[in-house]
Amino acid sequence: MRIGIDIGGTHTDGVLIDGSRLLAAAKTPTNHDNLLESISQVLHTVLAGQDPARVQTLNLSTTLTTNAIVTGKTEPVGMLVVGGPGIAPKHYRIGDHYHQIYGSLDHLGTETSALDELDLEEAITSCSEQGVKCYGVACKFSPRNPAYENRIREELGDKADFITLGHLVSGQLNFGRRIYTAYYNSAVWRTFQRFAKALSASLKGFNLEAEVNILKADGGTMPLSRALELPVQSIFSGPAASVMGILATSPAEEDLLMLDIGGTTSDIALFAGGEPLLEREGIAIEDRPTLVRAIHVQSIGIGGDSLIRVEDGVVKTGPDRLGPCMAAGGSAPSLMDALNVLGMAAFGEGAASQQGIAQLAAAHGMTSEDLANKAIDAAMDAIAAKIESLVTMVNTKPVYTIHEILEDREIRPQKLIVIGSPAAVFQQLLAKRLGLTVEVPPLHGVANAVGAALTRTTSHLALSANTARGRLSVPMLGIFRSIGRGFSLDEAIAEARTLLVEDLAKAGISMADDEIQITQADSFNMVEGSYTAGKNIRVVAQVRPAVVSRLEGDPIPVHTV
């Protein structure tokens, strides 16, 4: 059996699945001050009458790291950066403890300027005096030669509680993205570490001995032990759970759109031929590009609790939220209140919705019905504009799915799948506004948790080989070794497959060689003078995101706790 838990901004959902059959589903308000309480409540419900020993996997999608960054509740990070040819490190400055250390490597990883030990000592001393205990280390071209990053880690020693090394976060060479990825990974580490420790203790109280995985932004999962080293990979795992929920409950082969309507925001994703799109290089965090691979999802500040306001006679909905809608005890009218007033929904205390909308309408010389209609129209217009811009954007640049690159093909979605608790309420409104077929799956209220439960573990690596120098490197695994001049592309592909299978096995994950997908395999001759000096080989291997099964059978009630 598998458990999936999705900790959303408004609700925490949980499901228990045996094979392809849903056994139990639960929903509870998210307690942001105590996420474990929310997790415990859904676990109590879905495990009622079940044998916990039968649960083999627990997959968790959490907003923890996202919220830490958004609210500024992150750890101070000492960023120790070594430059080289090209753009100076100062252009990537981030945080209050950013230090440039003199030294450089060229594009082949050859030292061109020695690491300045005095610079390094002064930077570490400065950080230590200011109480910094978490560090990010990034050196230009470190995926080709990690010597400087390893030296800095050695010098930090017990002065650091946690260190992120740039060459271990990705095998890509993009220096700026690697700096930002290392920074954010260390910034959220302590928050995630405390949560993971408390989660493990809590699960023991349920007699759960299941493998615990955290959902990643790319739609796969990683073991909790690995998440402790790379917690930044869990950012935006909620939207990824939505997408995987579609694959598990509403698989399709055509182009389509997904809309996940929450209390505060809604997430929009586009599927090409049934495959979700992938941010191949990495997502941006606080407008800074990173190397965190992720499913492409765009968010909009429209949800059931979106605040309704009137500015210069114009009715606007969202993106602000002042707590829940009035029908749920809130203090200001929201989108759900407008739906209640027009009889499109029957949520919570309808009288509170009527009163709140009536007061706001009277203050601006409107009727309640007029205000409610305009608020709903504003929300539909905002969603339609966001969808239009998303479709236009992906049709003007190469589109990557989690399977392959799609070229010279226009994506034309004709169907929208809507999930989230209020999905059914919006079905006819969206169909009318967008002119699309709009479907609401039977399990729309817990689709995220279903996606989390059925998502399989994923991983990837990049292997580079330079036969002229006789060097092979797999930076993300810390592998740097010698090879012969005759090392071929076929050997590199076989090596990448083997290394990825072995790395997953170390985490207790069994993966067959034929489940490893090669997404890049290039070999270029290296010419020195008039002669071929050797080959430059690059191979990227991955276990692509997928669900282990699809749900079958009739839906069951979702218990609200």
Side-chain angles (χ1 to χ4, degrees), residues 218-233:
D218 70 355
T221 67
M222 57 181 169
L224 183 61
S225 59
R226 294 206 167 180
L228 285 167
E229 294 299 317
L230 287 171
V232 72
Q233 295 285 352

PDB file of all heavy atoms in Angstrom, residues 218-233:
ATOM      1  N   ASP A 218      10.246  18.259 -10.245  1.00  0.00           N
ATOM      2  CA  ASP A 218      10.184  17.672 -11.585  1.00  0.00           C
ATOM      3  C   ASP A 218       9.139  16.571 -11.704  1.00  0.00           C
ATOM      4  O   ASP A 218       9.020  15.923 -12.740  1.00  0.00           O
ATOM      5  CB  ASP A 218      11.555  17.148 -12.023  1.00  0.00           C
ATOM      6  CG  ASP A 218      11.998  15.903 -11.256  1.00  0.00           C
ATOM      7  OD1 ASP A 218      11.297  15.484 -10.306  1.00  0.00           O
ATOM      8  OD2 ASP A 218      13.063  15.352 -11.590  1.00  0.00           O
ATOM      9  N   GLY A 219       8.355  16.354 -10.645  1.00  0.00           N
ATOM     10  CA  GLY A 219       7.307  15.350 -10.705  1.00  0.00           C
ATOM     11  C   GLY A 219       7.752  13.969 -10.277  1.00  0.00           C
ATOM     12  O   GLY A 219       6.984  13.011 -10.400  1.00  0.00           O
ATOM     13  N   GLY A 220       8.961  13.837  -9.780  1.00  0.00           N
ATOM     14  CA  GLY A 220       9.426  12.570  -9.236  1.00  0.00           C
ATOM     15  C   GLY A 220       9.533  12.673  -7.729  1.00  0.00           C
ATOM     16  O   GLY A 220       9.177  13.690  -7.125  1.00  0.00           O
ATOM     17  N   THR A 221      10.018  11.610  -7.095  1.00  0.00           N
ATOM     18  CA  THR A 221      10.256  11.654  -5.659  1.00  0.00           C
ATOM     19  C   THR A 221      11.718  11.354  -5.375  1.00  0.00           C
ATOM     20  O   THR A 221      12.437  10.822  -6.212  1.00  0.00           O
ATOM     21  CB  THR A 221       9.399  10.629  -4.890  1.00  0.00           C
ATOM     22  OG1 THR A 221       9.815   9.302  -5.239  1.00  0.00           O
ATOM     23  CG2 THR A 221       7.928  10.808  -5.200  1.00  0.00           C
ATOM     24  N   MET A 222      12.148  11.718  -4.174  1.00  0.00           N
ATOM     25  CA  MET A 222      13.485  11.367  -3.689  1.00  0.00           C
ATOM     26  C   MET A 222      13.356  10.904  -2.247  1.00  0.00           C
ATOM     27  O   MET A 222      12.493  11.382  -1.505  1.00  0.00           O
ATOM     28  CB  MET A 222      14.438  12.567  -3.779  1.00  0.00           C
ATOM     29  CG  MET A 222      13.987  13.801  -3.030  1.00  0.00           C
ATOM     30  SD  MET A 222      15.148  15.181  -3.223  1.00  0.00           S
ATOM     31  CE  MET A 222      14.175  16.538  -2.526  1.00  0.00           C
ATOM     32  N   PRO A 223      14.185   9.960  -1.829  1.00  0.00           N
ATOM     33  CA  PRO A 223      14.131   9.497  -0.441  1.00  0.00           C
ATOM     34  C   PRO A 223      14.373  10.654   0.526  1.00  0.00           C
ATOM     35  O   PRO A 223      15.095  11.604   0.203  1.00  0.00           O
ATOM     36  CB  PRO A 223      15.270   8.465  -0.373  1.00  0.00           C
ATOM     37  CG  PRO A 223      15.494   8.033  -1.781  1.00  0.00           C
ATOM     38  CD  PRO A 223      15.196   9.238  -2.621  1.00  0.00           C
ATOM     39  N   LEU A 224      13.764  10.564   1.688  1.00  0.00           N
ATOM     40  CA  LEU A 224      13.917  11.619   2.682  1.00  0.00           C
ATOM     41  C   LEU A 224      15.386  11.868   2.993  1.00  0.00           C
ATOM     42  O   LEU A 224      15.804  13.013   3.196  1.00  0.00           O
ATOM     43  CB  LEU A 224      13.158  11.240   3.958  1.00  0.00           C
ATOM     44  CG  LEU A 224      13.161  12.275   5.088  1.00  0.00           C
ATOM     45  CD1 LEU A 224      12.513  13.576   4.626  1.00  0.00           C
ATOM     46  CD2 LEU A 224      12.440  11.722   6.312  1.00  0.00           C
ATOM     47  N   SER A 225      16.200  10.809   3.014  1.00  0.00           N
ATOM     48  CA  SER A 225      17.624  10.975   3.310  1.00  0.00           C
ATOM     49  C   SER A 225      18.308  11.857   2.278  1.00  0.00           C
ATOM     50  O   SER A 225      19.194  12.652   2.610  1.00  0.00           O
ATOM     51  CB  SER A 225      18.309   9.602   3.364  1.00  0.00           C
ATOM     52  OG  SER A 225      18.161   8.907   2.134  1.00  0.00           O
ATOM     53  N   ARG A 226      17.906  11.738   1.025  1.00  0.00           N
ATOM     54  CA  ARG A 226      18.490  12.582  -0.017  1.00  0.00           C
ATOM     55  C   ARG A 226      17.924  13.991   0.021  1.00  0.00           C
ATOM     56  O   ARG A 226      18.605  14.960  -0.307  1.00  0.00           O
ATOM     57  CB  ARG A 226      18.266  11.960  -1.394  1.00  0.00           C
ATOM     58  CG  ARG A 226      19.014  10.665  -1.571  1.00  0.00           C
ATOM     59  CD  ARG A 226      19.332  10.371  -3.002  1.00  0.00           C
ATOM     60  NE  ARG A 226      20.305   9.286  -3.076  1.00  0.00           N
ATOM     61  CZ  ARG A 226      20.783   8.813  -4.204  1.00  0.00           C
ATOM     62  NH1 ARG A 226      20.397   9.322  -5.355  1.00  0.00           N
ATOM     63  NH2 ARG A 226      21.661   7.835  -4.196  1.00  0.00           N
ATOM     64  N   ALA A 227      16.678  14.100   0.394  1.00  0.00           N
ATOM     65  CA  ALA A 227      16.064  15.420   0.508  1.00  0.00           C
ATOM     66  C   ALA A 227      16.774  16.258   1.567  1.00  0.00           C
ATOM     67  O   ALA A 227      16.820  17.486   1.471  1.00  0.00           O
ATOM     68  CB  ALA A 227      14.586  15.277   0.849  1.00  0.00           C
ATOM     69  N   LEU A 228      17.343  15.607   2.570  1.00  0.00           N
ATOM     70  CA  LEU A 228      18.087  16.334   3.598  1.00  0.00           C
ATOM     71  C   LEU A 228      19.351  16.972   3.024  1.00  0.00           C
ATOM     72  O   LEU A 228      19.849  17.963   3.552  1.00  0.00           O
ATOM     73  CB  LEU A 228      18.457  15.392   4.745  1.00  0.00           C
ATOM     74  CG  LEU A 228      17.312  15.012   5.675  1.00  0.00           C
ATOM     75  CD1 LEU A 228      17.720  13.856   6.566  1.00  0.00           C
ATOM     76  CD2 LEU A 228      16.892  16.209   6.520  1.00  0.00           C
ATOM     77  N   GLU A 229      19.891  16.403   1.941  1.00  0.00           N
ATOM     78  CA  GLU A 229      21.069  16.972   1.295  1.00  0.00           C
ATOM     79  C   GLU A 229      20.698  17.989   0.233  1.00  0.00           C
ATOM     80  O   GLU A 229      21.446  18.932  -0.012  1.00  0.00           O
ATOM     81  CB  GLU A 229      21.909  15.846   0.669  1.00  0.00           C
ATOM     82  CG  GLU A 229      22.516  14.890   1.677  1.00  0.00           C
ATOM     83  CD  GLU A 229      23.455  15.593   2.641  1.00  0.00           C
ATOM     84  OE1 GLU A 229      24.258  16.439   2.190  1.00  0.00           O
ATOM     85  OE2 GLU A 229      23.380  15.313   3.855  1.00  0.00           O
ATOM     86  N   LEU A 230      19.555  17.812  -0.409  1.00  0.00           N
ATOM     87  CA  LEU A 230      19.119  18.708  -1.480  1.00  0.00           C
ATOM     88  C   LEU A 230      17.671  19.147  -1.261  1.00  0.00           C
ATOM     89  O   LEU A 230      16.796  18.919  -2.098  1.00  0.00           O
ATOM     90  CB  LEU A 230      19.255  18.021  -2.834  1.00  0.00           C
ATOM     91  CG  LEU A 230      20.677  17.843  -3.375  1.00  0.00           C
ATOM     92  CD1 LEU A 230      20.668  16.959  -4.604  1.00  0.00           C
ATOM     93  CD2 LEU A 230      21.301  19.210  -3.700  1.00  0.00           C
ATOM     94  N   PRO A 231      17.394  19.819  -0.147  1.00  0.00           N
ATOM     95  CA  PRO A 231      16.010  20.210   0.141  1.00  0.00           C
ATOM     96  C   PRO A 231      15.423  21.179  -0.876  1.00  0.00           C
ATOM     97  O   PRO A 231      14.205  21.257  -1.021  1.00  0.00           O
ATOM     98  CB  PRO A 231      16.097  20.838   1.535  1.00  0.00           C
ATOM     99  CG  PRO A 231      17.522  21.278   1.669  1.00  0.00           C
ATOM    100  CD  PRO A 231      18.320  20.244   0.929  1.00  0.00           C
ATOM    101  N   VAL A 232      16.278  21.926  -1.595  1.00  0.00           N
ATOM    102  CA  VAL A 232      15.761  22.879  -2.575  1.00  0.00           C
ATOM    103  C   VAL A 232      14.995  22.162  -3.678  1.00  0.00           C
ATOM    104  O   VAL A 232      14.140  22.755  -4.342  1.00  0.00           O
ATOM    105  CB  VAL A 232      16.919  23.728  -3.170  1.00  0.00           C
ATOM    106  CG1 VAL A 232      17.783  22.898  -4.112  1.00  0.00           C
ATOM    107  CG2 VAL A 232      16.383  24.970  -3.873  1.00  0.00           C
ATOM    108  N   GLN A 233      15.280  20.856  -3.887  1.00  0.00           N
ATOM    109  CA  GLN A 233      14.570  20.107  -4.923  1.00  0.00           C
ATOM    110  C   GLN A 233      13.079  19.952  -4.594  1.00  0.00           C
ATOM    111  O   GLN A 233      12.282  19.631  -5.480  1.00  0.00           O
ATOM    112  CB  GLN A 233      15.197  18.714  -5.087  1.00  0.00           C
ATOM    113  CG  GLN A 233      16.615  18.713  -5.604  1.00  0.00           C
ATOM    114  CD  GLN A 233      16.713  19.021  -7.081  1.00  0.00           C
ATOM    115  OE1 GLN A 233      15.704  19.100  -7.777  1.00  0.00           O
ATOM    116  NE2 GLN A 233      17.921  19.209  -7.572  1.00  0.00           N
TER     117      GLN A 233
END
